[in-house]
Amino acid sequence: MEDIFRLDGKVAIVTGGAGGIGYKLALGLSRYGAKVVVASRNQEAICKAATDIHAETGNETLAIPVDVTDEQSMKQLVDSVVSKLGTIDILVNAMGLNLKREALQFPMEDWQKLFNANVNGTMIACKYVGQVFKEKGQGKIINLSSVRGIRGYTGGNVGYAATKGSVQMITKCLAIEWAPYNINVNAIGPALVITPGTIHIKNDPVRAEVYKKQIPLGRLADADDLIGTAVFLASKASDFITGQTIFVDGGMTAQ
Ligand SMILES: NC(=O)c1ccc[n+]([C@@H]2O[C@H](COP(=O)([O-])OP(=O)(O)OC[C@H]3O[C@@H](n4cnc5c(N)ncnc54)[C@H](OP(=O)(O)O)[C@@H]3O)[C@@H](O)[C@H]2O)c1
């Protein structure tokens, strides 16, 4: 019987693939058989991530630098992956930036930085990989949104939340525009995920409790909690799902 969740031989680019979430998603796709390209700006970090993933799964893994906010850099990544691995089947946009600033003191320079990374970066990556997917008549795109993209928050979240709402709209619009080419475009919307960048929250019992109280399942997520959804959205199992954001949030947005 065909295993509709397997990704054997598929080529996946994971932008932000050395980050807290991106690394686990890249590892997860590799565990299910994909050839994974770990891509972000820090060459040392992506090389280490690719080496570690290959050491665990034995599947082909590459590290190729990219700045997703730079169209030329993204084009070079796409050309390089096609030349080295023959094609691209899956794009996971796990890169991103979070800057918390109160609205009345929001430096517009920081606002631009957030939009440049999270919105422009997502769109540019989709645009260049989308061209390859259009030509081959199939492809899977998984963007990273957030619970912050659907609910209103105080606490300096206006900029980040606006970018994550935009990621959801990019996801919906591309899903419709590219449906004729059999390209599935979906997003994952996590609540707080404990990674090396957020471990300080888990280690602060008072702060951790504030977050936990908002989560019906009563615990904080770690990046492993996102692997199943990413593999599902990258696989044949999700062929009739497009334009959706799946909230992996312990029930937070169900309230
Ligand atoms: N952690 C959470 O609680 C949480 C919750 C909800 C949603 N998310 C979303 O999930 C995604 C991953 O978050 P994370 O926690 O894994 O963050 P992270 O650990 O900071 O990783 C983000 C990665 O993005 C890469 N990146 C940033 N700008 C880039 C650019 N211009 N070009 C290429 N790569 C770039 C960085 O690598 P380089 O510096 O090497 O470029 C970094 O490895 C983000 O979109 C975030 O908003 C996170």
Side-chain angles (χ1 to χ4, degrees):
M1 191 178 71
E2 181 192 11
D3 184 339
I4 57 174
F5 293 93
R6 290 291 311 177
L7 303 172
D8 300 294
K10 300 284 182 193
V11 174
I13 296 177
V14 182
T15 68
I21 290 175
Y23 175 75
K24 288 298 180 83
L25 300 189
L27 178 62
L29 298 180
S30 180
R31 281 180 185 153
Y32 277 75
K35 299 175 191 174
V36 172
V37 179
V38 179
S40 73
R41 295 162 302 180
N42 183 327
Q43 175 99 44
E44 201 183 321
I46 56 174
C47 286
K48 182 178 182 331
T51 303
D52 290 351
I53 291 168
H54 177 71
E56 183 187 317
T57 69
N59 289 324
E60 192 168 359
T61 314
L62 294 179
I64 304 180
V66 72
D67 179 344
V68 291
T69 66
D70 176 341
E71 291 198 65
Q72 194 53 35
S73 174
M74 190 63 211
K75 186 179 180 316
Q76 278 169 8
L77 169 66
V78 167
D79 290 348
S80 176
V81 175
V82 172
S83 135
K84 289 180 168 131
L85 298 175
T87 190
I88 307 169
D89 300 287
I90 299 156
L91 168 67
V92 180
N93 277 315
M95 51 75 207
L97 176 69
N98 190 353
L99 300 171
K100 285 189 201 247
R101 307 283 185 263
E102 296 298 328
L104 290 176
Q105 286 88 38
F106 212 118
M108 294 318 286
E109 198 188 342
D110 287 350
W111 183 272
Q112 300 288 2
K113 273 188 201 159
L114 277 170
F115 272 78
N116 199 30
N118 297 348
V119 181
N120 299 3
T122 299
M123 182 57 197
I124 288 170
C126 288
K127 180 178 159 185
Y128 284 92
V129 176
Q131 183 62 40
V132 175
F133 288 175
K134 180 184 171 185
E135 282 159 21
K136 72 185 285 188
Q138 67 179 61
K140 302 272 191 177
I141 296 178
I142 303 165
N143 294 321
L144 260 293
S145 182
S146 165
V147 294
R148 302 263 193 262
I150 193 173
R151 301 175 89 190
Y153 288 88
T154 181
N157 279 295
V158 59
Y160 179 74
T163 67
K164 291 300 175 177
S166 298
V167 168
Q168 287 182 43
M169 286 314 298
I170 290 171
T171 301
K172 287 188 189 197
C173 291
L174 294 184
I176 304 302
E177 191 166 332
W178 293 347
Y181 315 129
N182 197 31
I183 302 171
N184 302 74
V185 189
N186 292 293
I188 299 176
L192 175 69
V193 179
I194 300 305
T195 65
T198 56
I199 187 76
H200 60 280
I201 298 175
K202 189 177 184 182
N203 292 339
D204 175 342
V206 178
R207 261 187 103 185
E209 199 49 37
V210 171
Y211 278 93
K212 266 194 230 165
K213 274 201 174 127
Q214 301 172 48
I215 308 230
L217 284 177
R219 68 170 176 86
L220 302 178
D222 59 44
D224 288 336
D225 285 308
L226 308 183
I227 291 176
T229 308
V231 169
F232 169 62
L233 291 177
S235 72
K236 191 173 164 41
S238 60
D239 275 355
F240 206 52
I241 297 177
T242 198
Q244 303 303 310
T245 297
I246 299 185
F247 290 96
V248 183
D249 64 356
M252 186 182 194
T253 52
Q255 300 172 100

